[in-house]
Amino acid sequence: MEYRIEHDSMGEVRVEKDRLWGAQTERSRNNFQIGKGHENMPEEIVYAFGRLKKAAAMANRELRPERMTEEKLDAICRACDEVTAGELDSHFPLVVWQTGSGTQSNMNANEVIANRGNQIAGEKILHPNDDVNMSQSSNDTFPTAMHIAAVTALEKRLIPAAEHLVNTMRRLERENEGIVKCGRTHLQDATPILFSQEISGWRSSIERDISLIRSAAEPLKELALGGTAVGTGLNAPAGFDELAARKLAELTGIGFRTAGNKFHALTSKDEIVFAHGALKALACDLMKIANDIRWLASGPRLGLGEISIPENEPGSSIMPGKVNPTQCEAVTMVAVQVMGNDTAVGMAASQGNFELNVFMPVCAYNFLQSTRLLTEVMISFDAHCVSGIRANRAKMDENMKRSLMLVTALNPYIGYENAAKTAKKAFSEGISLKEACIALGYLTEERFDEVFHPENMV
């Protein structure tokens, strides 16, 4: 292995010759062997750094042209584009479990962009701190990267996946119009419902979650960039915060803007907590929907069996022919993970002591994991389960007609208490509601047939 010598304010450090990072990245890589290869800084954060460093350089070119020359700007922008495109992923080795401010990941970005920019320029014109980190601090860049990554993940990936699932459910509603089935509350038989109405409840839940997530994404578009070390904007030129945010908005097509109060932006993570709460709401609804589907598909002979779902793989290594609702199980496991992540995000956000929160990497890691898992599980659930749901009309009709809660339709004619007696007699004696009602003398056979129409109860 060949090495080169890099240096920082603490002295010289050996770095592998073909690596673009510098001394500070190497120190962090050696000092934090925690979760290496498994819990690296999320790529979404790396790509966000690529975007914000480019925007910062563009703003500095306008505000500090004597320091940010056109040659330096070109080198930085081209290197940042490679970072954002994922072409330099192997040069970002740091783990989540590092300094709580994310300083070392900021320096990792500075060093990689500087060294790659120098390669592009063919000469050493860029310094990681003086040029790539100009007008910035780790304390304002890392929270900015968090927000860029979070909004991008929500608006570009998660919401489209949720909208596709909604469209699938809307199709299922149309396909299942007019099918009457037994409703259920408290896991007990209830009055009838249309299967399309049941599906509409699932659809509406996801639609509401999308609305909540869109609303929660708006505060995340406020950026800490320009606050520098403690929120005062020290070493950043006047107007840098607004201009850099505007450049970011142009680069990403997302309405980013500068935060009105940088002291809040550096120390508080309330926007992340609020947005993750919306993710938890989605996880809760997905848990409910997945459970409904696997209950309705339970069987195939001894369960509810009112719907069939795609058979994707064998379900048992010992029971031949067994098929399990595995997509539903994946959804519910993801939901549990997201609920756990919500606790971690909340705890991390509570640790904003004085002018800086120093739990940002773990906060970002959990938020982005939740977003990624929810996105991917919705795509999988949609493709391999929901899109293939089929109603078992015969079983739905059989279960509905056996439901004792159809007796509710008799309330206006024989009263609540007499209807209850009818249901209890039918259940205890194993007879129909009609037989029980006639035996109790509440209605004649003719009158019962006249007023008893379950299909009108929906």
Side-chain angles (χ1 to χ4, degrees):
M1 182 71 68
E2 293 187 61
Y3 294 88
R4 71 179 191 277
I5 300 299
E6 289 277 347
H7 73 275
D8 58 15
S9 60
M10 294 181 69
E12 294 185 342
V13 177
R14 287 203 320 164
V15 178
E16 293 176 20
K17 190 174 183 179
D18 61 346
R19 298 301 183 179
L20 290 173
W21 65 73
Q24 292 198 43
T25 301
E26 185 67 15
R27 291 186 193 279
S28 179
R29 195 171 75 93
N30 292 328
N31 290 336
F32 297 97
Q33 299 281 326
I34 309 167
K36 187 176 181 181
H38 301 284
E39 293 164 355
N40 283 15
M41 187 62 65
E43 62 183 22
E44 296 95 334
I45 294 292
V46 172
Y47 302 156
F49 267 114
R51 293 185 175 95
L52 80 85
K53 294 296 178 181
K54 181 176 181 178
M58 294 167 71
N60 281 321
R61 174 61 184 153
E62 292 189 26
L63 299 173
R64 287 179 163 173
E66 74 288 350
R67 290 184 57 193
M68 181 58 67
T69 66
E70 192 64 34
E71 185 182 18
K72 288 183 177 182
L73 175 64
D74 179 67
I76 290 174
C77 287
R78 289 172 63 184
C80 286
D81 288 343
E82 291 183 7
V83 170
T84 303
E87 296 173 13
L88 304 180
D89 285 359
S90 62
H91 300 279
F92 290 87
L94 302 187
V95 295
V96 171
W97 317 108
Q98 53 166 279
T99 172
S101 62
T103 297
Q104 290 141 9
S105 281
N106 178 50
M107 284 307 305
N108 189 181
N110 291 333
E111 291 173 345
V112 168
I113 292 167
N115 285 330
R116 179 59 187 138
N118 289 334
Q119 288 180 349
I120 291 169
E123 58 179 315
K124 193 170 184 178
I125 60 173
L126 297 176
H127 186 279
N129 299 80
D130 295 336
D131 298 306
V132 184
N133 200 59
M134 187 187 299
S135 308
Q136 306 153 60
S137 162
S138 299
N139 295 353
D140 66 346
T141 58
F142 198 90
T144 296
M146 285 176 64
H147 281 208
I148 295 170
V151 174
T152 302
L154 294 177
E155 294 193 346
K156 303 295 186 181
R157 295 194 291 276
L158 183 135
I159 289 176
E163 289 176 332
H164 197 282
L165 181 57
V166 165
N167 290 334
T168 297
M169 291 177 174
R170 188 173 285 115
R171 172 180 61 78
L172 289 175
E173 285 180 67
R174 293 193 301 268
E175 293 174 355
N176 291 280
E177 287 179 0
I179 301 176
V180 184
K181 65 182 291 291
C182 181
R184 294 178 177 88
T185 58
H186 302 270
L187 296 182
Q188 305 294 307
D189 304 343
T191 54
I193 187 174
L194 291 173
F195 186 36
S196 59
Q197 291 174 328
E198 191 166 40
I199 297 169
S200 77
W202 302 340
R203 180 209 11 107
S204 185
S205 294
I206 304 300
E207 287 178 329
R208 178 57 58 87
D209 292 325
I210 292 171
S211 177
L212 294 173
I213 291 166
R214 286 192 189 281
S215 297
E218 286 305 308
L220 289 170
K221 295 176 183 177
E222 295 190 6
L223 304 179
L225 194 60
T228 65
V230 294
T232 61
L234 179 67
N235 289 348
F240 173 81
D241 54 353
E242 293 185 0
L243 183 56
R246 190 158 63 248
K247 297 294 184 183
L248 263 169
E250 294 169 0
L251 290 173
T252 61
I254 297 172
F256 290 115
R257 55 194 179 273
T258 192
N261 188 308
K262 303 301 189 299
F263 306 104
H264 165 267
L266 267 61
T267 194
S268 175
K269 302 298 125 204
D270 51 7
E271 299 94 345
I272 288 284
V273 173
F274 183 62
H276 199 280
L279 294 179
K280 183 170 71 170
L282 173 60
C284 291
D285 281 329
L286 287 171
M287 172 77 85
K288 178 263 193 290
I289 293 166
N291 278 334
D292 281 359
I293 289 172
R294 63 176 170 177
W295 273 109
L296 291 172
S298 61
R301 290 186 172 178
L302 305 182
L304 295 178
E306 292 189 345
I307 64 172
S308 63
I309 56 178
E311 298 181 349
N312 297 317
E313 61 272 320
S316 174
S317 61
I318 189 173
M319 293 176 281
K322 194 173 193 298
V323 180
N324 297 327
T326 52
Q327 289 292 320
C328 296
E329 291 164 7
V331 170
T332 55
M333 286 191 289
V334 165
V336 168
Q337 183 66 54
V338 171
M339 293 173 196
N341 287 352
D342 192 69
T343 298
V345 168
M347 290 294 294
S350 72
Q351 301 304 305
N353 300 323
F354 301 114
E355 276 65 61
L356 185 67
N357 179 287
V358 291
F359 282 65
M360 286 191 287
V362 70
C363 194
Y365 176 73
N366 281 277
F367 185 95
L368 293 169
Q369 185 194 54
S370 291
T371 307
R372 192 181 316 115
L373 288 176
L374 287 169
T375 299
E376 293 173 358
V377 85
M378 283 191 293
I379 292 171
S380 182
F381 188 44
D382 187 356
H384 301 297
C385 182
V386 179
S387 62
I389 289 175
R390 299 291 181 269
N392 185 341
R393 297 189 180 209
K395 187 65 173 177
M396 286 181 175
D397 188 62
E398 175 191 346
N399 287 345
M400 183 195 67
K401 288 179 177 176
R402 293 177 59 213
S403 172
L404 295 175
M405 290 305 99
L406 296 179
V407 76
T408 307
L410 300 178
N411 284 1
Y413 307 101
I414 63 176
Y416 180 93
E417 292 191 9
N418 288 340
K421 291 175 183 178
T422 299
K424 290 179 180 180
K425 182 177 180 65
F427 179 67
S428 64
E429 298 180 16
I431 60 177
S432 69
L433 289 172
K434 180 177 181 179
E435 290 170 327
C437 188
I438 293 171
L440 289 169
Y442 296 145
L443 292 174
T444 64
E445 181 176 357
E446 294 76 13
R447 181 60 173 161
F448 185 93
D449 290 340
E450 181 183 336
V451 302
F452 189 74
H453 295 287
E455 66 277 7
N456 295 333
M457 298 176 69
V458 297

